[in-house]
Amino acid sequence: MIRTILQLTTFGNEQSRWRLAGIVLGIAVGVGLLLTLLGAAQGLTDRDQRRSWLNVNFEYRLDEDGEAYTLTDDTVMVGRFTDYVAGDAIERIDVAATQTTNERTPWGDPLPAPGTYFASPALIELIESLPGEQLGDRFGTLIGPIPDSALGSPDSLYVLAGVDEATLGQFQSWWIQPALAGDASGSNVVYRIVMVIGGIAMFLPVLLLISTTTQLGGAQRAERLSTLRLIGATPESVTRVAAIEMALLALTGALLGTVGWWLLRPVGARFVVDEGRFFPYDLDVSIATIVAIAIGAMLTTGIAAGVRIARMGIGPLGVTRERSEHAPSPLSLLPLLAGLALFGGVTWAFKTSNVDVMLLSLAIIGGFGLTSLGIIWAGPWLTNCASRLAARFAGSAAGVVAASRIRRHPEATFRSVSGLVLAVFTVTVFAASASSVLEADDPRDGAQVFPLSTVYAYIHEGATEADLAGVEREIEAVPGVLGAVIAMEDRNDPGSWLVHRDDAPLLNVRIEDDRAWVRFDAYNYIWGEPDAERPGQPGAATLAGDLPFVLMVATDGSDGVIDTVRTRLEASNQMASLARTRADDIDVTTRKFVNSLANLAYIGIAITILIAGISLTVATAASMLERKRIFGLLRLMGMPNGVISRIVAFEAVAPLVAVLAITIGLGFLISWMMVEGLSYSRTLHAPDIRYYLAILGSLGLAVLSVLAVTGLVHRNTGVNQTRFE
Amino acid sequence: MTALLTRETAQSIPADGPILSARAVVKRFGQTEALRGVDLDIEPGEVLAVMGPSGSGKSTLLHCLAGVLAPDDGSVVFDGIEISRLNERQRSLLRLNRLGFVFQFGQLLPDLTAVDNISVPLLLSGVRRNEALKRADDWLERLGLGDAGQKLPAELSGGQAQRVAVARALVTNPTVLFADEPTGSLDSLAAEQVMNALLDQVKAAGTTVVIITHDPRTAAYADREVIVRDGRIPAGNGVRSA
């Protein structure tokens, strides 16, 4: 009997087949997405593990007895640095060992001798593409590539350079440890959290898509099931049919999704996360996980479908009269208000007292979740209010019909656009928050600000005046270099930079009075007031007791010149640090991280918007097809095709208009509370172009959905097809 | 021609000659010939019952008369206009302004109240909403549904819903009203109420009515009956001899 019922109800007509295709596609997308996210999460863990050797650990400085290690055949001396070329960061490990060392590289090769180096394939490619004086000469002679097993990504720029103990000893930071190894840092934790939140945000539209396609042709299907009940099918067998049907569809969808995921894995691996793309095998998921997901999809969707049919209570006489939904209550605004109150409370608490960081993070995530849920919850009420207003003022047949429809079915109407609404909310919060970093930290030159084109490096304590003069001469000979300046360390304030007024113009500093020295605020990269404590001594190079501290090289700002200066400074053996620019430091801190995160987030948001757009199309089409008979009769009575198209358009656009503006406003409000309330100096800026593209994309998809469905209107409501009943 | 398509009242109907006339109408669906040369004249103000067994072609005839289907051969002339020569938009305009329709069931928009359902054709014709609602209320009163204006179709009985459908069909003062099995889904008491309400109104307005039915009791309300068998109307039945 079940087989007969399945044949009759599942493959009945064209709409049934569309419904099947929609469900299978929705589940396939969901499963594919889940596998991709699980693969990416696993891939990030593997990446952390592979590059753990870079994480030289401070604790290794001391042995079990608390004594500092010394360099022996069983220890290595290590310095970890971030080097730069053309704005790209290079993870650099300098290693010194005894000549008879027992230590090896993490991949088993002997350690590089002084003047030789291993480099990642991407870095080797970069070195080969540039003149040696810009990059290659910094490291010495290449002896081989670093294998994939020691790389985070195929794009990783790593170098393991051999140096001698004395040279490394000149640097500010180095230590001796028992092996060239480290712990997996878990530095990808932020990415993981973002992926989990993003995954949830992406799954909602997928679930909505499945839910919407399930209801496609629902009225006709209910009629058929009701007829079967009339001829003797029990409620249990009808429920079982629905569950089996959905489980089989879920299995098909899961298989398709798995195949799609497998085929698209190389594409997924191309997305840049953190330091670069994934290796294709990074995204692998175990067979056991795939089977578990398929079984999970079958069980959850099957049970849900069975429960839904059981709750519909399809009797032998069917459901002949359409039931309106209960009018949503203003109480549905409570979760939204609670979410906003939570954000407000967190901001207030942060401003007035010390709040535990973990508690703060949980409160922010909770507030975001509650607000998102609140928007979904409040959406039908807002839609209902808008439809009441529209119904009161509507003057056209399309307006009256559509507003009345929305008023009777606010939940169903809002559900069709809720995916888009949520996507827009998420992208607004993200884009507005990211603007505070991307815009604020965009490095720019300005008055009294350390020039972006100036390269600097700390001077080794043992460097003599003659050594430094030699370095200055060599650097100043590089075409494009405007001059070299030595900043002194204040004898009364160690770590403080002082620059003489004669050198000031080269560094974009203006000294109004006659004082000889100006102090540099190294934290904010700005020149402070002329040093009042020091007497004016124009012409004096140094004061007694001051030591040369930093060598600054003004350049024309081109990448080639800056990188050549870096190479010369690093090869001079007179520096205590690698050479840097102000832009390097900004990149290292937050800008690059946020930009990379933004790229990832916008990809996720684009997928979410696409799925939500498909969902809206299906929902709009389903809503029209459900009423094609009544629309057909109206057309027969003389209602023009365009009026029906306008009804369909109004029903799709009205809830978007009603909620979207509020949603965008809420997104900015929450970003403002997070950024201005929970940071000391950041402020909101206009989001970048990607945000506007995302919003335009959402609206464009909504328009396309409506246009696609209005195309269906003519075909499905033709008087020839409907005819008299 | 547009003026003819949009004329709102039945008072302008010519005093002599049929308002609707079919000549040698043939309609085929694939190999099947549903109408095989039908001749039919319908006089202004006449109530005509078209009867016949299932599959005889009576619904197809109605579709052709109302401009829903274009005949393969022959012609249909309404008030001097050859309907088959009109394009889709013009036929929509004709149906909206000059013709009215009542069906067997499920014809009301489920989300609209009774009064809104009745006002829809007026809104489509460009009447302002307040005026449309006023006229719709008036029709509800005329059909004894004064209390049902704010009810949804699901809250009305079958007979009440059908009377709302009649009001919606008549609210634009159509020249011809087509009723396809208007009492097919009603019990005899409700059917009588609907037919009485319908005929009271059309007689007063001089509206022509074409009723498709296979129920002799419904057909008994008509001034004239024609029988359709195998796609034909017997000679002399459809066209009055001069």
Side-chain angles (χ1 to χ4, degrees), chain B residues 13-14 16-23 38-50 61-62 64-66 76-79 175-178 207-212 223-224 226 233 237-240:
Chain B
I13 296 167
D16 53 345
I19 183 71
L20 191 57
S21 178
R23 287 290 177 272
V38 170
D39 294 322
L40 179 65
D41 284 339
I42 302 169
E43 302 301 324
E46 182 181 19
V47 178
L48 174 74
V50 178
L61 174 61
L62 192 68
C64 290
L65 292 175
V76 176
V77 177
F78 168 77
D79 198 10
T175 308
V176 178
L177 174 71
F178 292 99
T207 308
T208 305
V209 182
V210 180
I211 304 173
I212 299 283
D223 301 328
R224 181 163 66 106
V226 292
I233 295 175
N237 196 349
V239 183
R240 286 179 183 170

Coordinates of all heavy atoms in Angstrom, one line a residue, chain B residues 13-14 16-23 38-50 61-62 64-66 76-79 175-178 207-212 223-224 226 233 237-240:
Chain B
I13 N -27.5 48.7 -25.3 CA -27.7 47.6 -26.2 C -28.7 47.9 -27.3 O -29.7 48.5 -27.0 CB -28.1 46.4 -25.4 CG1 -27.1 46.0 -24.4 CG2 -28.5 45.2 -26.4 CD1 -27.6 45.0 -23.4
P14 N -28.4 47.6 -28.5 CA -29.3 47.8 -29.6 C -30.6 47.1 -29.4 O -30.7 46.0 -28.9 CB -28.6 47.3 -30.9 CG -27.5 46.4 -30.4 CD -27.2 46.9 -29.0
D16 N -32.8 46.0 -31.4 CA -33.2 44.8 -32.3 C -31.9 44.0 -32.6 O -30.8 44.6 -32.6 CB -33.8 45.3 -33.6 CG -33.0 46.3 -34.3 OD1 -32.1 46.9 -33.6 OD2 -33.2 46.6 -35.5
G17 N -32.1 42.7 -32.9 CA -30.9 41.9 -33.2 C -30.3 41.3 -32.0 O -30.5 41.8 -30.9
P18 N -29.6 40.1 -32.2 CA -29.0 39.4 -31.0 C -27.8 40.2 -30.5 O -27.1 40.9 -31.2 CB -28.5 38.1 -31.6 CG -28.4 38.4 -33.1 CD -29.4 39.4 -33.4
I19 N -27.6 40.1 -29.1 CA -26.5 40.7 -28.5 C -25.2 39.9 -28.7 O -24.1 40.3 -28.8 CB -26.7 41.0 -27.0 CG1 -25.5 41.7 -26.4 CG2 -27.0 39.7 -26.2 CD1 -25.4 43.1 -26.8
L20 N -25.5 38.6 -28.8 CA -24.4 37.6 -29.0 C -24.8 36.6 -30.1 O -25.9 36.0 -30.0 CB -24.1 36.9 -27.7 CG -22.8 36.1 -27.5 CD1 -21.6 36.9 -27.8 CD2 -22.7 35.5 -26.1
S21 N -23.9 36.4 -31.0 CA -24.3 35.6 -32.1 C -23.1 34.7 -32.6 O -22.0 35.1 -32.8 CB -24.7 36.4 -33.3 OG -25.1 35.7 -34.4
A22 N -23.4 33.3 -32.6 CA -22.3 32.4 -33.1 C -22.8 31.8 -34.4 O -24.0 31.5 -34.6 CB -22.1 31.3 -32.1
R23 N -21.9 31.7 -35.4 CA -22.2 31.2 -36.7 C -21.2 30.1 -37.1 O -20.0 30.4 -37.2 CB -22.2 32.3 -37.8 CG -23.4 33.2 -37.7 CD -24.7 32.4 -38.1 NE -25.9 33.3 -37.9 CZ -26.6 33.4 -36.8 NH1 -26.3 32.8 -35.7 NH2 -27.7 34.2 -36.7
V38 N -21.6 25.2 -34.7 CA -22.7 25.7 -33.9 C -23.2 27.0 -34.4 O -22.4 27.9 -34.6 CB -22.3 25.7 -32.4 CG1 -23.3 26.4 -31.6 CG2 -22.0 24.4 -31.9
D39 N -24.5 27.1 -34.5 CA -25.2 28.4 -34.7 C -26.0 28.8 -33.5 O -26.8 27.9 -33.0 CB -26.1 28.3 -36.0 CG -25.3 28.1 -37.2 OD1 -24.2 28.6 -37.4 OD2 -25.8 27.3 -38.1
L40 N -25.9 30.0 -33.0 CA -26.6 30.4 -31.8 C -26.8 31.9 -31.8 O -25.8 32.6 -31.9 CB -25.9 29.9 -30.5 CG -26.6 30.2 -29.2 CD1 -27.9 29.5 -29.1 CD2 -25.7 29.8 -28.0
D41 N -28.0 32.3 -31.5 CA -28.3 33.7 -31.3 C -28.8 33.9 -29.9 O -29.6 33.1 -29.4 CB -29.3 34.3 -32.3 CG -28.7 34.5 -33.7 OD1 -27.5 34.6 -33.8 OD2 -29.5 34.5 -34.7
I42 N -28.3 35.0 -29.2 CA -28.8 35.3 -27.9 C -29.3 36.7 -27.9 O -28.6 37.6 -28.2 CB -27.7 35.1 -26.8 CG1 -27.2 33.6 -26.9 CG2 -28.3 35.3 -25.4 CD1 -26.0 33.4 -26.1
E43 N -30.6 36.9 -27.5 CA -31.2 38.2 -27.6 C -30.9 39.0 -26.3 O -30.6 38.5 -25.2 CB -32.7 38.0 -27.7 CG -33.2 37.2 -28.9 CD -32.7 37.8 -30.2 OE1 -32.7 39.1 -30.3 OE2 -32.4 37.0 -31.1
P44 N -30.9 40.3 -26.5 CA -30.6 41.2 -25.3 C -31.7 40.9 -24.2 O -32.9 40.8 -24.5 CB -30.8 42.6 -25.8 CG -30.6 42.5 -27.3 CD -31.1 41.1 -27.7
G45 N -31.2 40.8 -23.0 CA -32.1 40.6 -21.8 C -32.6 39.2 -21.7 O -33.3 38.9 -20.7
E46 N -32.2 38.3 -22.6 CA -32.7 37.0 -22.5 C -31.9 36.1 -21.5 O -30.7 36.4 -21.2 CB -32.5 36.3 -23.9 CG -33.0 34.9 -24.0 CD -32.7 34.3 -25.4 OE1 -31.8 34.8 -26.1 OE2 -33.4 33.3 -25.7
V47 N -32.6 35.2 -20.9 CA -32.0 34.2 -20.0 C -32.0 32.9 -20.7 O -33.0 32.3 -20.9 CB -32.7 34.1 -18.6 CG1 -32.0 33.1 -17.7 CG2 -32.7 35.4 -17.9
L48 N -30.8 32.5 -21.1 CA -30.7 31.2 -21.9 C -30.0 30.1 -21.1 O -29.0 30.4 -20.4 CB -29.8 31.5 -23.1 CG -29.5 30.3 -24.0 CD1 -30.7 29.9 -24.8 CD2 -28.3 30.7 -25.0
A49 N -30.6 28.9 -21.1 CA -29.9 27.8 -20.4 C -29.4 26.9 -21.5 O -30.0 26.5 -22.5 CB -31.0 27.0 -19.6
V50 N -28.1 26.6 -21.4 CA -27.4 25.7 -22.3 C -27.3 24.4 -21.6 O -26.6 24.3 -20.5 CB -26.0 26.2 -22.8 CG1 -25.3 25.2 -23.7 CG2 -26.2 27.6 -23.4
L61 N -18.5 25.7 -25.8 CA -19.3 26.7 -26.5 C -19.3 28.0 -25.6 O -19.1 29.1 -26.2 CB -20.7 26.2 -26.6 CG -21.7 27.2 -27.1 CD1 -21.4 27.7 -28.5 CD2 -23.2 26.6 -27.1
L62 N -19.4 27.8 -24.3 CA -19.3 29.0 -23.4 C -18.0 29.7 -23.6 O -17.9 31.0 -23.6 CB -19.6 28.6 -22.0 CG -19.8 29.7 -21.0 CD1 -21.2 30.3 -21.3 CD2 -19.8 29.2 -19.6
C64 N -16.0 29.8 -26.1 CA -16.0 30.5 -27.4 C -16.8 31.8 -27.3 O -16.4 32.8 -27.8 CB -16.4 29.6 -28.5 SG -15.2 28.3 -28.9
L65 N -18.0 31.7 -26.7 CA -18.9 32.8 -26.7 C -18.3 33.9 -25.8 O -18.5 35.1 -26.1 CB -20.3 32.4 -26.1 CG -21.2 31.4 -26.9 CD1 -22.4 31.0 -26.1 CD2 -21.6 32.1 -28.2
A66 N -17.6 33.6 -24.8 CA -17.0 34.6 -23.9 C -15.7 35.1 -24.3 O -15.1 35.9 -23.7 CB -16.9 34.0 -22.5
V76 N -17.8 34.5 -33.8 CA -18.7 34.9 -32.7 C -18.7 36.4 -32.7 O -17.6 37.1 -32.7 CB -18.1 34.4 -31.4 CG1 -18.9 34.9 -30.2 CG2 -18.0 32.9 -31.4
V77 N -19.9 37.0 -32.7 CA -20.1 38.4 -32.7 C -20.8 38.9 -31.5 O -21.9 38.4 -31.2 CB -20.8 38.9 -34.0 CG1 -21.0 40.4 -34.0 CG2 -20.1 38.5 -35.3
F78 N -20.2 39.8 -30.7 CA -20.8 40.4 -29.5 C -21.0 41.9 -29.8 O -20.0 42.6 -30.0 CB -19.9 40.2 -28.3 CG -20.3 41.0 -27.1 CD1 -21.4 40.5 -26.4 CD2 -19.7 42.1 -26.8 CE1 -21.8 41.3 -25.3 CE2 -20.1 42.9 -25.7 CZ -21.1 42.4 -24.9
D79 N -22.3 42.2 -29.7 CA -22.6 43.7 -29.9 C -21.9 44.3 -31.1 O -21.4 45.4 -31.0 CB -22.2 44.4 -28.6 CG -23.0 45.8 -28.5 OD1 -23.9 46.0 -29.3 OD2 -22.6 46.5 -27.6
T175 N -23.0 43.4 -19.7 CA -24.1 43.2 -20.7 C -24.5 41.8 -20.7 O -25.7 41.5 -20.9 CB -23.5 43.6 -22.1 OG1 -22.9 44.9 -22.0 CG2 -24.6 43.6 -23.2
V176 N -23.6 40.8 -20.6 CA -23.9 39.4 -20.6 C -23.3 38.8 -19.4 O -22.1 39.0 -19.1 CB -23.4 38.7 -21.9 CG1 -23.8 37.2 -21.8 CG2 -24.0 39.3 -23.1
L177 N -24.0 38.0 -18.7 CA -23.5 37.2 -17.5 C -23.5 35.8 -17.9 O -24.5 35.2 -18.3 CB -24.4 37.4 -16.3 CG -24.1 36.6 -15.1 CD1 -22.8 37.1 -14.4 CD2 -25.2 36.6 -14.1
F178 N -22.3 35.2 -17.8 CA -22.1 33.7 -18.0 C -22.1 33.0 -16.6 O -21.3 33.4 -15.8 CB -20.8 33.4 -18.7 CG -20.8 33.9 -20.2 CD1 -20.2 35.1 -20.5 CD2 -21.4 33.2 -21.2 CE1 -20.2 35.6 -21.8 CE2 -21.4 33.7 -22.5 CZ -20.8 34.9 -22.8
T207 N -30.0 42.6 -18.0 CA -28.7 41.8 -18.4 C -29.1 40.5 -19.0 O -30.0 39.8 -18.6 CB -27.9 41.6 -17.1 OG1 -27.7 42.8 -16.4 CG2 -26.5 41.0 -17.5
T208 N -28.3 40.2 -20.1 CA -28.5 38.9 -20.7 C -27.7 37.9 -19.9 O -26.7 38.1 -19.4 CB -27.9 38.9 -22.1 OG1 -28.5 40.0 -22.9 CG2 -28.0 37.7 -22.9
V209 N -28.3 36.6 -19.8 CA -27.7 35.6 -19.0 C -27.6 34.3 -19.8 O -28.5 33.9 -20.4 CB -28.5 35.3 -17.7 CG1 -27.8 34.3 -16.8 CG2 -28.7 36.6 -16.9
V210 N -26.4 33.7 -19.7 CA -26.2 32.4 -20.3 C -25.8 31.4 -19.2 O -24.8 31.6 -18.5 CB -25.1 32.4 -21.4 CG1 -24.9 31.0 -22.0 CG2 -25.4 33.4 -22.5
I211 N -26.7 30.5 -18.9 CA -26.4 29.5 -17.8 C -26.1 28.2 -18.4 O -26.8 27.6 -19.2 CB -27.6 29.4 -16.9 CG1 -28.1 30.7 -16.4 CG2 -27.4 28.4 -15.8 CD1 -29.4 30.7 -15.6
I212 N -24.9 27.6 -18.0 CA -24.6 26.3 -18.4 C -25.0 25.4 -17.2 O -24.6 25.6 -16.1 CB -23.0 26.1 -18.5 CG1 -22.5 27.0 -19.6 CG2 -22.6 24.7 -18.8 CD1 -22.7 26.6 -21.0
D223 N -35.5 31.7 -19.9 CA -36.5 32.0 -20.9 C -36.5 31.0 -22.0 O -37.5 30.7 -22.6 CB -36.2 33.4 -21.5 CG -36.2 34.5 -20.4 OD1 -36.9 34.4 -19.4 OD2 -35.5 35.5 -20.6
R224 N -35.3 30.4 -22.2 CA -35.1 29.5 -23.4 C -34.1 28.5 -23.1 O -33.1 28.8 -22.3 CB -34.8 30.3 -24.6 CG -34.6 29.5 -25.9 CD -34.6 30.5 -27.1 NE -33.5 31.4 -27.1 CZ -32.4 31.2 -28.0 NH1 -32.4 30.3 -28.8 NH2 -31.4 32.1 -27.9
V226 N -31.3 25.6 -24.8 CA -30.8 24.9 -26.0 C -30.0 23.7 -25.5 O -29.4 23.7 -24.5 CB -29.8 25.8 -26.9 CG1 -30.6 27.0 -27.5 CG2 -28.7 26.4 -26.0
I233 N -25.8 22.0 -32.0 CA -27.2 22.4 -31.5 C -28.2 22.1 -32.6 O -28.0 22.5 -33.8 CB -27.2 23.9 -31.2 CG1 -26.3 24.2 -30.0 CG2 -28.7 24.3 -30.8 CD1 -26.2 25.7 -29.6
N237 N -33.0 25.2 -33.1 CA -33.0 25.3 -31.7 C -32.2 26.6 -31.3 O -32.6 27.3 -30.4 CB -32.4 24.1 -31.1 CG -32.7 23.9 -29.6 OD1 -33.2 24.9 -29.0 ND2 -32.4 22.8 -29.0
G238 N -31.0 26.7 -31.9 CA -30.1 27.8 -31.5 C -30.5 29.2 -32.2 O -30.3 30.2 -31.6
V239 N -31.0 29.1 -33.4 CA -31.3 30.4 -34.1 C -32.8 30.5 -34.4 O -33.4 29.5 -34.9 CB -30.5 30.4 -35.4 CG1 -30.8 31.7 -36.2 CG2 -29.0 30.2 -35.2
R240 N -33.4 31.5 -34.0 CA -34.8 31.7 -34.2 C -35.0 32.0 -35.7 O -34.3 32.8 -36.3 CB -35.4 32.8 -33.4 CG -35.5 32.4 -31.9 CD -36.1 33.6 -31.1 NE -36.1 33.2 -29.7 CZ -36.4 34.0 -28.8 NH1 -36.6 35.3 -29.0 NH2 -36.4 33.6 -27.5

